[in-house]
Amino acid sequence: MKSADVVIVGGGVIGLSIAYRLAREGVGSTVLDRGGLGQGASWAGAGMIPPHVERLRTNPTVELRSWSAVLYPEWSAALLEETGIDNGYRRTGGVDVAWTPAEDDELKTSAGRWRAEKIIYERMSPADFARVEPALNPGLRVAYYLPDRAQIRNPRHLKALIASLEARGVDLRPGSGAIGFESTGGRVSAVRTESGPIACGRVVVAAGAWSSALLEGLGIRVETPPIKGQIVLLKGDRPALRRIVEHGKMYLVPRDDGRVLIGATEEDAGFDTRTTPEALRDLLAEARSLCPGLAGLEVERSWAGLRPGSVDSKPYLGPAPGYSNAIVATGHKRAGLQLAPATAEVIADLVLGREPRVDLTPYRLDREPGGLPDPAFRS
Ligand code: GLY
């Protein structure tokens, strides 16, 4: 491997995907994480992938999302071949559901966007639910079936990325977080850690909710507030659901082995990752009302992660203002897994001095907050 002296601060799905993308081009890196690799927000999602079958260049939001969705099957096959780990990429399809006329109207608006993005969907009344997802409560008003909705098992995907990086000789340093930077003349010369500074030619800050405090040390003010998400895993002895079920920001994701993930809360709780009985109760109650058959499944465990927010729910992707060799990739909020592959592609472009293949203007660190978060998918 060429040594590009690249240090990646943050070993979540974003940092690991960037390291993987660079490694595939023969470029080594050092990945630092204050805790375990991939054990933060990336572990606490469900790995839902939007239903795109082609990369659309309509606008940067759609492009980042659709390109990532198209890259997932490619990355999954490459990781399987290289590591023997199946990350669980499956195009299981999904249903978005509504109870009320107001929720139905929101879905009609989403469906207009899906149509514009050439995403296949079918609007279904309760009489048709059994054809697609028999577990749905027939009292729901409507379901929209998205046959190309996909999923990965995020813990397995993270494991596969780590295995690939280890095999490629990437320097992975869990338990060794960045505590600051040394800089001179508009360049970051080293990343400071508890065990001493690490010299860098380039640095990528992908430290999730901890990015804001780190960047402040470079005089850069960006908000990456932690947004806590609690999630619950149910265990069954046979598959209880066939499709991903979404209701607003709530989701039920069936795995091959009969388990079902239920997520997720959105809480402002600082850096507290404890689960609470109230959240567990509410998640279970909503899941059981959407799919009454889930009442027979046991709770296997519940846990929480801290998603990195941003000023306007869009990620920050691009150069750190005022520094010629520092790049930022954070603030993906609920969409870290979803957007990781295309994020890694464009950050690799920046690290290697190429024109990024997606227009990063809406993701600049110094943008005016504005525009909606990606409105086509809520969870
Ligand atoms: N992407 C799912 C979540 O953040 O809960």
Side-chain angles (χ1 to χ4, degrees):
M1 268 197 191
K2 288 176 267 176
S3 172
D5 301 325
V6 181
V7 177
I8 299 172
V9 178
V13 71
I14 299 297
L16 294 172
S17 299
I18 294 167
Y20 172 68
R21 187 61 191 78
L22 289 171
R24 282 175 71 166
E25 292 209 38
V27 177
S29 60
T30 295
V31 182
L32 306 177
D33 198 285
R34 50 196 300 286
L37 297 169
Q39 300 286 306
S42 314
W43 200 270
M48 288 179 290
I49 314 294
H52 290 282
V53 291
E54 66 177 303
R55 175 178 170 184
L56 302 168
R57 292 177 168 81
T58 326
N59 64 51
T61 303
V62 174
E63 187 167 11
L64 205 65
R65 165 159 50 76
S66 61
W67 192 17
S68 287
V70 170
L71 287 169
Y72 259 115
E74 286 172 28
W75 280 38
S76 304
L79 285 167
L80 175 62
E81 185 168 324
E82 196 184 335
T83 67
I85 299 170
D86 173 8
N87 69 2
Y89 178 86
R90 305 280 185 270
R91 206 169 280 176
T92 40
V95 283
D96 272 43
V97 299
W99 289 108
T100 64
E103 290 175 356
D104 190 357
D105 284 345
E106 278 179 35
L107 284 182
K108 279 184 192 142
T109 305
S110 297
R113 296 194 173 98
W114 299 335
R115 197 162 45 243
E117 294 184 19
K118 298 190 244 168
I119 291 170
I120 296 170
Y121 68 86
E122 182 186 351
R123 182 181 159 92
M124 309 184 92
S125 58
D128 292 323
F129 288 173
R131 183 160 52 81
V132 165
E133 181 45 83
L136 284 180
N137 188 332
L140 284 158
R141 183 181 172 87
V142 70
Y144 279 77
Y145 172 44
L146 294 141
D148 292 319
R149 242 278 181 232
Q151 59 168 291
I152 52 164
R153 293 183 78 151
N154 33 327
R156 293 191 188 173
H157 181 65
L158 293 157
K159 203 169 147 192
L161 285 172
I162 293 165
S164 164
L165 294 173
E166 280 170 345
R168 291 166 182 271
V170 171
D171 179 16
L172 300 175
R173 301 199 196 176
S176 177
I179 53 173
F181 301 100
E182 292 172 8
S183 65
T184 172
R187 283 182 66 80
V188 175
S189 53
V191 180
R192 290 197 291 114
T193 71
E194 297 287 0
S195 46
I198 302 170
C200 61
R202 287 186 193 272
V203 62
V204 179
V205 180
W210 288 266
S211 303
S212 176
L214 280 170
L215 289 165
E216 204 164 319
L218 291 174
I220 296 169
R221 297 203 58 187
V222 288
E223 293 168 40
T224 55
I227 302 166
K228 178 170 165 181
Q230 299 191 47
I231 195 162
V232 183
L233 185 64
L234 302 183
K235 192 175 175 184
D237 47 15
R238 62 195 156 73
L241 278 185
R242 285 160 58 180
R243 317 289 179 187
I244 295 166
V245 177
E246 288 184 75
H247 176 236
K249 290 182 173 182
M250 162 104 196
Y251 48 83
L252 315 177
V253 180
R255 304 303 201 196
D256 288 349
D257 57 10
R259 290 182 165 88
V260 179
L261 262 171
I262 304 171
T265 62
E266 251 187 41
E267 300 164 63
D268 174 5
F271 285 84
D272 178 1
T273 53
R274 286 173 299 184
T275 55
T276 60
E278 300 75 35
L280 179 66
R281 186 197 56 213
D282 293 351
L283 288 168
L284 286 175
E286 202 182 337
R288 288 167 181 162
S289 78
L290 292 170
C291 298
L294 295 181
L297 274 64
E298 275 173 43
V299 173
E300 185 171 345
R301 57 183 290 239
S302 63
W303 66 103
L306 302 172
R307 314 170 182 98
S310 76
V311 73
D312 52 12
S313 299
K314 288 198 273 282
Y316 301 107
L317 305 174
Y323 294 86
S324 58
N325 66 336
I327 296 158
V328 177
T330 191
H332 291 72
K333 202 176 174 187
R334 296 177 72 105
L337 256 301
Q338 186 185 121
L339 300 180
T343 294
E345 295 285 344
V346 294
I347 297 299
D349 288 340
L350 291 175
V351 168
L352 300 175
R354 302 188 294 238
E355 186 64 27
R357 282 163 289 161
V358 176
D359 173 14
L360 296 182
T361 310
Y363 305 116
R364 289 170 63 103
L365 274 75
D366 54 2
R367 66 183 179 254
E368 287 297 320
L372 287 169
D374 186 349
F377 296 97
R378 280 160 291 171
S379 57

